[in-house]
Amino acid sequence: MGNSFDEAGEPLSTPELCTDDNNLDECNGACEILLRSKTITHFSLTSSGLNKVDAEVLDKAIRVNKILKMLNLYYSLRNNEYAVMVANALKSNNTLEILNLRKNEVNEEGAKVIAEVLAINRTLIELNLSENKLGSTGTVYISEALKLNRKLEKLNLNNNYVKDEGAECISEALTINTNLKELNLSSNSIKKGIMAIFNMLEINKTLVELHIGYSQIGIEGVNYMIEVLKGNKTLRRLNLKLRNIGGLKVKELEDAAPNVEIIFKCSSLFYCCLLYTSDAADE
């Protein structure tokens, strides 16, 4: 299954009903359309800023719709309360496969409800929670759910204030979970927790794509990662986005994992992860 959303959280294919904030009346009425529709399988409502009434209609629509496959709510809820409503509605939905809740103010309370859904859900394949406020506590909730979930294949937790505790818990979960194939933990505050992620890669046999860009990986971490990659046979794409790594370490990483596409460069030096190495001059 290919990526359903691009990096901005937009669907790559045109859904049956897709609106944006160019027409707020259309956006707000779209929830009513979904509630009444017997044919919509893909619903994309982006940057609309729904109010509580709209969120309540959307909640009901998710509960009663029996054919919905994709729901893209990028920057449309903008309120943890509304995100919780959507998550609770999913407990009654048995068809949704793709859910995008990017940039909707989801905090640890919202993460707890989403985790409750993941623990019992048997249809959701892709979940985008990037640019929210889960924090490490919210990530712990999600991690515990991953130990029970047998369906989710793609999870995006990019830019969620995740610290070492969260990274360690999700790493532990992925030594148990055998279905997740893609994980995005980039743009968080992961330091020592990066070692737990590397330890996980020694055990996990299903993860094929991992994003840990802008984490703080020291030279010790890079050396350990090199050894881990030599033994890992399943990873195919690794997003590091490092700066000052040095030409020698780049070659060592590439030699350790010839079948893995490794992304080193960042679009902004300010946000690149900090790698302290004497090999920097070799670039």
Side-chain angles (χ1 to χ4, degrees):
M1 181 177 178
N3 288 331
S4 301
F5 297 107
D6 61 20
E7 293 183 355
E10 299 295 339
L12 295 179
S13 58
T14 303
E16 290 188 23
L17 181 57
C18 181
T19 61
D20 57 33
D21 60 356
N22 290 328
N23 188 331
L24 290 177
D25 289 336
E26 178 186 353
C27 291
N28 296 338
C31 297
E32 288 283 355
I33 295 174
L34 178 63
L35 177 61
R36 297 192 303 268
S37 174
K38 304 295 184 183
T39 59
I40 293 175
T41 58
H42 291 61
F43 185 77
S44 184
L45 191 62
T46 62
S47 304
S48 64
L50 298 181
N51 57 38
K52 188 171 183 178
V53 173
D54 300 317
E56 290 173 346
V57 174
L58 181 61
D59 172 286
K60 186 175 180 180
I62 294 171
R63 293 177 188 275
V64 302
N65 189 292
K66 303 301 181 184
I67 59 174
L68 191 65
K69 299 292 185 182
M70 188 277 281
L71 179 60
N72 178 12
L73 297 175
Y74 163 61
Y75 198 43
S76 284
L77 302 175
R78 307 184 195 181
N79 184 306
N80 182 69
E81 177 187 353
Y82 302 164
V84 168
M85 290 171 61
V86 169
N88 274 317
L90 289 175
K91 295 177 181 178
S92 302
N93 183 287
N94 297 312
T95 60
L96 197 68
E97 298 177 352
I98 301 166
L99 176 62
N100 185 359
L101 290 177
R102 178 184 174 223
K103 202 173 184 180
N104 278 304
E105 300 293 324
V106 183
N107 59 26
E108 59 186 56
E109 176 194 0
K112 185 176 182 180
V113 178
I114 292 171
E116 292 171 357
V117 173
L118 287 178
I120 60 174
N121 185 276
R122 295 295 179 266
T123 59
L124 200 63
I125 296 173
E126 180 175 346
L127 176 60
N128 187 344
L129 291 172
S130 62
E131 295 187 68
N132 281 295
K133 299 178 180 179
L134 271 60
S136 288
T137 300
T139 306
V140 170
Y141 292 141
I142 299 295
S143 299
E144 291 301 310
L146 286 177
K147 294 178 182 179
L148 302 174
N149 183 278
R150 295 292 179 268
K151 190 67 176 180
L152 195 70
E153 296 182 3
K154 301 179 183 181
L155 176 61
N156 190 338
L157 299 178
N158 171 69
N159 197 6
N160 261 287
Y161 304 94
V162 180
K163 296 184 178 180
D164 291 336
E165 180 188 6
E168 290 165 359
C169 286
I170 203 163
S171 296
E172 178 189 357
L174 292 187
T175 63
I176 299 172
N177 182 288
T178 58
N179 44 277
L180 197 72
K181 296 179 180 179
E182 297 181 17
L183 173 64
N184 191 334
L185 284 173
S186 291
S187 301
N188 284 296
S189 302
I190 301 172
K191 299 177 182 178
K192 294 181 180 180
I194 203 70
M195 301 302 286
I197 294 175
F198 296 154
N199 287 332
M200 173 271 294
L201 289 176
E202 291 190 293
I203 301 172
N204 183 282
K205 305 300 181 185
T206 55
L207 204 64
V208 296
E209 185 168 328
L210 175 63
H211 298 254
I212 49 175
Y214 316 131
S215 301
Q216 294 190 25
I217 307 175
I219 186 62
E220 179 183 355
V222 171
N223 288 333
Y224 185 44
M225 178 169 52
I226 289 171
E227 295 305 312
V228 169
L229 289 177
K230 289 179 181 178
N232 185 288
K233 305 301 181 184
T234 55
L235 201 64
R236 290 295 175 265
R237 194 164 190 259
L238 177 61
N239 190 334
L240 294 175
K241 292 191 176 178
L242 305 169
R243 69 177 174 89
N244 297 335
I245 186 172
L248 292 178
K249 290 303 176 186
V250 168
K251 188 176 188 309
E252 285 187 56
L253 280 165
E254 291 176 338
D255 290 346
N259 296 321
V260 180
E261 176 192 359
I262 304 178
I263 301 173
F264 295 102
K265 296 182 180 181
C266 346
S267 57
S268 170
L269 289 178
F270 180 78
Y271 289 108
C272 285
C273 74
L274 304 175
L275 177 67
Y276 302 100
T277 168
S278 60
D279 292 329
D282 294 323
E283 283 194 337

